[in-house]
């Protein structure tokens, strides 16, 4: 049995369909990502999987339990980072983590570890109400990592963070994967999705437009592959990577006018644009 | 069981930094102390300020603090995080409620000292205060559970609190209000407290208070089921 499995889950608010027949699965130790622009339905999907709201139709299971009757036993095995912070504003960073470590029954040694990993150690005595938005996001993440969970839900774990901290976070996520933790993350950063995920779902307007391994998705759309040529006179030409272009390239090579030439493979962003006509927010 | 203690301790730390809640806990005992020690009018009934402010205290402080703590935790999503950890909802409510109960009992002790009660009077006074505080905590929990955010919470708490704390006082001057107000636990508590020195104790009062507790507890349970995460 898979760690996460959904069968045709749909969700509507009033008359708008926010999720439309979503099918997803994740095996143990896999990182599954949902890539989509703002309003695609990513958070709604996490809310359903973590039992915070109910789907209108379809079935969803995590850790072999239906998402409509998750109990403390299941919750103790999952770590959740939502986009709303859920932190105690009048307590310090350390006091927040200390409280949750007590609730989670985790030794306080782990607090120092996650503080260091999320770059919050220096701010551990700061009251949460005085933290910047990015720091709150990191604390929120630190809390999700506090538990040694079997399954982690991360809603846009690196959005709004500087590249260096994002790197640290990626390291943390990969470490969890090594330990066999299954990770479900949402993002609108295609580099993050490409780098971390074993499988990704491209989500747009509540529909999964493509699902699978990032590399495989890209090579599936390989016909979008182009050859970029820069000429010595500064002119840039893009040609389709197909026999049709061979004459033109031959001609350019013979006239010794090429400065550089390379092929560019389609990336997730291009694939997303191709499939939905929409641009992912960076 | 441990969770209750953790939540209790968290709440203690948090409330010490929360002026709005702190004021609720100390306002009435403080005013009563200042008045008792400084105001001396001829023919003023004995323990006038204690009997006036202590019933007000037990209808205001627990309701406001309980409901606003819960509403804030809902608004900030911390309650949701707790319930998605291994915290059972009853552990949460006992943790927060227990905290408020203890703090308010300290406030009640201040009134007790001001009233210079002795022996059985202490037991009587503190017992009645405890029952009143408990009822108010359940009512506060109900309002907090029913409100999605703090603004909504304040707008429900205010009228409820005003009715509960002012009806008993107005009852003294108006028979119509007195008769209608009898069904309120706050009026019964007010009457019981005002009889501390005579230890005059009516069964009717206890029945009405128990009914009040039951109604609010049922309302609480229903509303809690409906709005668990919202
Ligand atoms: N409680 C609700 N009532 C009505 N509409 C809602 C509700 N929650 C979400 N929606 C709608 O559902 C859609 C998807 O929202 P969702 O929060 O899942 O998007 P998202 O992919 O997480 O976006 P973002 O990247 O901005 O976080 C949005 O159009 C939103 O307006
Ligand atoms: Mg979202």
């Amino acid at each position: 049995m898979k760690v996460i499995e959904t069968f045709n889950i749909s969700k509507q608010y009033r008359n708008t369909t926010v999720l439309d027949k979503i099918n997803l699965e994740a095996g143990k130790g896999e990182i599954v990502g949902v890539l989509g622009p703002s309003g695609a339905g990513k958070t709604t999907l996490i809310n359903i999987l973590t039992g915070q709201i109910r789907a209108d139709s379809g079935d969803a299971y995590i850790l072999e339990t239906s998402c409509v009757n998750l109990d403390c036993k299941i919750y103790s095995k999952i770590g959740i980072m939502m986009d709303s912070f859920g932190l105690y504003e009048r307590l310090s960073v350390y006091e927040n983590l200390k409280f949750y470590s007590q609730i989670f029954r985790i030794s306080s040694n782990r607090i120092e570890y996650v503080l260091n990993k999320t770059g919050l150690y220096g701010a551990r005595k700061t009251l949460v109400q005085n933290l910047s938005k990015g720091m709150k996001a990191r604390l929120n993440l630190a809390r999700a990592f506090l538990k040694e969970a079997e399954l982690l839900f991360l809603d846009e774990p690196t959005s709004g963070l500087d590249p260096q901290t994002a790197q640290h976070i990626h390291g943390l996520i990969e470490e969890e994967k090594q330990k066999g933790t299954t990770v479900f993350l949402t993002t609108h950063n295609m580099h993050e999705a490409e780098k971390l995920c074993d499988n990704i779902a491209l989500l747009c307007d509540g529909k999964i437009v493509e699902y699978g391994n990032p590399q495989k998705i890209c090579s599936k759309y390989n016909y979008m592959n182009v050859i970029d040529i820069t000429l010595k006179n500064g002119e840039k030409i893009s040609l389709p990577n197909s026999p049709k272009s061979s004459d033109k390239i031959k001609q350019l090579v013979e006239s010794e006018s090429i400065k550089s030439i390379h092929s560019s493979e389609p990336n997730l962003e291009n694939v997303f644009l191709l499939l939905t006509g929409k641009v992912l927010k960076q | 069981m441990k969770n209750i203690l953790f939540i209790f301790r968290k709440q203690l730390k948090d409330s010490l930094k929360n002026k709005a809640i702190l004021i609720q806990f100390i306002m009435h005992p403080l005013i009563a102390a200042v008045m008792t020690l400084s105001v001396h009018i001829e023919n003023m009934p004995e323990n006038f300020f204690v009997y006036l402010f202590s019933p007000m205290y037990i209808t205001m402080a627990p309701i406001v603090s309980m409901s606003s703590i819960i509403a804030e935790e809902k608004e900030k999503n911390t309650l949701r995080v707790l319930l998605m950890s291994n915290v059972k909802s009853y552990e949460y409510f006992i943790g927060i409620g227990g905290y408020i109960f203890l703090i308010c009992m300290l406030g009640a002790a201040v009134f007790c000292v001001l009233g210079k009660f002795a022996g059985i009077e202490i037991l009587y006074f503190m017992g009645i205060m405890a029952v009143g505080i408990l009822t108010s905590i359940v009512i506060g929990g109900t309002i907090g559970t029913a409100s999605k955010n703090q603004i909504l919470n304040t707008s429900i708490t205010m009228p409820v609190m005003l009715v509960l704390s002012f009806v008993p006082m107005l009852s003294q001057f108006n028979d119509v209000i007195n008769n209608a107000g009898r069904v309120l636990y706050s009026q019964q508590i007010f009457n019981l407290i005002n009889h501390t020195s005579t230890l005059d104790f009516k069964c009717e009062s206890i029945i009405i208070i128990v009914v009040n507790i039951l109604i609010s507890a049922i309302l609480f349970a229903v509303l809690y089921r409906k709005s668990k995460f919202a």
Side-chain angles (χ1 to χ4, degrees):
Chain A
M1 184 98 174
K2 299 282 179 181
V3 178
I4 302 177
E5 253 184 324
T6 76
F7 303 97
N8 285 324
I9 49 177
S10 299
K11 179 80 189 171
Q12 292 196 321
Y13 281 117
R14 310 250 159 117
N15 297 323
T16 47
T17 302
V18 177
L19 290 176
D20 191 11
K21 301 206 177 74
I22 301 292
N23 289 296
L24 274 177
E25 55 174 50
K28 187 171 158 52
E30 277 179 8
I31 302 181
V32 176
V34 175
L35 183 65
S38 184
K42 305 184 293 292
T43 300
T44 308
L45 186 55
I46 289 197
N47 282 339
I48 291 174
L49 290 175
T50 52
Q52 298 179 58
I53 57 174
R54 284 186 181 208
D56 296 330
S57 61
D59 295 307
Y61 299 88
I62 61 171
L63 298 168
E64 308 186 8
T65 313
S66 169
C67 292
V68 297
N69 40 33
L70 300 179
D71 55 13
C72 288
K73 223 177 105 205
I74 300 294
Y75 281 129
S76 68
K77 293 182 191 166
I78 65 179
I80 305 174
M81 176 212 179
M82 295 305 297
D83 56 357
S84 59
F85 300 122
L87 300 167
Y88 292 101
E89 301 267 330
R90 286 177 294 269
L91 300 185
S92 70
V93 168
Y94 186 84
E95 284 169 334
N96 264 276
L97 292 177
K98 177 83 192 168
F99 173 61
Y100 284 110
S101 74
Q102 291 172 334
I103 295 290
F104 299 156
R105 309 281 190 277
I106 287 160
S107 95
S108 33
N109 300 336
R110 178 94 182 155
I111 299 177
E112 214 147 288
Y113 173 80
V114 293
L115 278 175
N116 280 320
K117 283 286 179 183
T118 50
L120 283 173
Y121 191 78
R124 67 191 182 285
K125 288 180 185 156
T126 311
L127 297 188
V128 171
Q129 59 193 356
N130 299 331
L131 292 180
S132 72
K133 210 173 160 224
M135 289 164 102
K136 279 187 193 175
R138 280 187 271 159
L139 177 54
N140 190 7
L141 198 64
R143 180 183 52 201
F145 281 112
L146 205 52
K147 245 191 260 204
E148 307 219 24
E150 283 178 39
L151 173 57
L152 270 176
F153 289 95
L154 307 174
D155 197 359
E156 306 195 15
T158 58
S159 103
L161 298 186
D162 58 281
Q164 203 191 343
T165 316
Q167 285 273 317
H168 275 294
I169 305 297
H170 291 165
L172 261 178
I173 296 174
E174 271 165 350
E175 238 170 72
E176 288 299 319
K177 176 190 160 80
Q178 295 307 318
K179 287 185 208 155
T181 310
T182 307
V183 182
F184 184 95
L185 63 85
T186 71
T187 177
H188 44 232
N189 180 336
M190 61 124 183
H191 298 293
E192 182 168 282
E194 235 164 295
K195 179 178 163 193
L196 293 174
C197 300
D198 297 301
N199 282 307
I200 53 162
L202 301 184
L203 188 71
C204 185
D205 294 334
K207 283 196 187 72
I208 292 183
V209 289
E210 188 56 78
Y211 177 75
N213 177 280
Q215 280 76 39
K216 283 193 185 137
I217 291 182
C218 289
S219 46
K220 178 171 165 188
Y221 293 89
N222 208 26
Y223 61 85
M224 286 167 67
N225 201 332
V226 289
I227 294 174
D228 289 318
I229 300 171
T230 308
L231 300 183
K232 283 177 177 160
N233 65 12
E235 198 188 332
K236 289 183 178 169
I237 326 174
S238 289
L239 297 171
N241 189 2
S242 69
K244 277 188 283 180
S245 308
S246 59
D247 283 349
K248 176 78 180 168
I249 293 173
K250 186 167 176 242
Q251 184 205 327
L252 287 170
V253 171
E254 280 170 357
S255 67
E256 295 188 15
S257 51
I258 294 176
K259 186 177 169 208
S260 71
I261 175 166
H262 55 88
S263 69
S264 75
E265 274 114 44
N267 57 28
L268 289 173
E269 196 167 10
N270 296 337
V271 172
F272 197 88
L273 185 66
L274 176 81
L275 292 172
T276 66
K278 288 189 181 174
V279 186
L280 287 163
K281 184 175 122 203
Q282 276 305 303
Chain B
M1 197 51 212
K2 270 191 188 158
N3 283 343
I4 297 176
L5 189 71
F6 296 145
I7 290 167
F8 183 94
R9 282 212 296 252
K10 180 273 295 175
Q11 199 51 51
L12 184 66
K13 268 189 219 156
D14 184 277
S15 299
L16 286 177
K17 293 180 190 143
N18 188 348
K19 292 190 195 76
I21 300 279
L22 273 185
I23 285 176
Q24 290 299 327
F25 288 144
I26 56 178
M27 180 171 62
H28 295 96
L30 191 69
I31 297 176
V34 170
M35 299 285 232
T36 306
L37 299 175
S38 62
V39 179
H40 297 285
I41 306 169
E42 242 176 90
N43 295 331
M44 191 170 68
E46 202 193 354
N47 285 335
F48 179 75
F49 293 114
V50 170
Y51 292 154
L52 184 69
F53 285 112
S54 57
M56 234 193 259
Y57 181 59
I58 57 177
T59 45
M60 287 190 177
I63 293 184
V64 173
S65 51
M66 184 80 180
S67 68
S68 70
I69 288 170
I70 295 175
E72 183 180 8
E73 294 229 34
K74 284 178 78 167
E75 184 175 316
K76 301 265 167 71
N77 279 317
T78 45
L79 182 55
R80 192 186 282 233
V81 175
L82 284 183
L83 295 178
M84 288 193 299
S85 312
N86 54 344
V87 173
K88 304 207 172 52
S89 41
Y90 75 85
E91 292 175 325
Y92 174 78
F93 291 115
I94 293 177
I96 302 290
Y99 162 76
I100 292 172
F101 182 76
L102 275 184
I103 300 282
C104 288
M105 284 306 277
L106 287 179
V110 172
F111 284 111
C112 202
V113 171
L114 288 174
K116 300 200 180 73
F117 299 130
I120 189 90
E121 282 175 1
I122 296 179
L123 225 60
Y124 176 91
F125 181 80
M126 291 303 274
I128 298 201
M129 290 296 273
V131 171
I133 291 167
L134 264 180
T135 318
S136 295
I137 286 174
V138 179
I139 293 175
T142 311
I143 298 175
T145 306
S147 31
K148 266 198 167 66
N149 55 49
Q150 297 181 81
I151 295 181
L152 207 63
N153 173 56
T154 315
S155 61
I156 308 176
T157 309
M158 277 304 155
V160 171
M161 208 175 65
L162 287 180
V163 168
L164 287 175
S165 54
F166 284 108
V167 165
M169 268 185 279
L170 299 175
S171 296
Q172 294 179 301
F173 313 111
N174 183 311
D175 278 344
V176 180
I177 297 183
N178 188 21
N179 282 330
R182 284 165 93 106
V183 297
L184 296 179
Y185 78 102
S186 56
Q187 179 153 333
Q188 297 302 333
I189 298 271
F190 185 89
N191 290 339
L192 289 171
I193 284 179
N194 274 277
H195 290 120
T196 303
S197 53
T198 56
L199 299 177
D200 184 9
F201 187 91
K202 287 207 194 79
C203 250
E204 184 197 274
S205 300
I206 293 304
I207 293 168
I208 290 173
I209 292 171
V210 168
V211 171
N212 269 262
I213 294 179
L214 281 180
I215 291 174
S216 21
I218 290 168
L219 210 61
F220 175 75
V222 171
L223 285 171
Y224 177 74
R225 259 164 215 278
K226 246 177 79 177
S227 71
K228 193 169 181 186
F229 279 124

